[in-house]
Amino acid sequence: MDPDPGTWWLRNAPLREVPAALGKPDPAAALRQWRRSWPRQEEALSLLVRDELFTFVTYDETAYYWLSARTTQVAFLDQWRYDPPIPAYQAA
């Protein structure tokens, strides 16, 4: 999606805001609205705490955007380790 137009790191970017067409769905605005809504975030957290699936669906004229999350349990988390990638070749 697109970032919030007021985002500090976009201050000097050569961008311009394109107003949403009246009556047309705006999925990025819907996602930003969800992010700013504490009750809706609390609802999502409540679902995750109960080990239920959280979904957020929005759409525009071309696609549906589906955000979903579910809690997972990872066994043997303390045994995970980082294995650095093996280089394709080593310089001589």
Side-chain angles (χ1 to χ4, degrees), residues 23-73:
K24 303 270 183 166
D26 184 358
L31 191 55
R32 283 194 295 267
Q33 193 174 42
W34 176 84
R35 179 181 55 92
R36 291 181 183 124
S37 171
W38 286 110
R40 293 180 70 191
Q41 288 188 28
E42 287 291 329
E43 179 185 354
L45 288 173
S46 176
L47 288 170
L48 294 172
V49 166
R50 294 191 314 260
D51 199 25
E52 296 179 29
L53 179 67
F54 162 73
T55 58
F56 176 85
V57 180
T58 187
Y59 64 93
D60 61 15
E61 291 111 9
T62 61
Y64 277 82
Y65 304 93
W66 185 295
L67 169 69
S68 64
R70 180 185 302 268
T71 57
T72 60
Q73 294 182 1

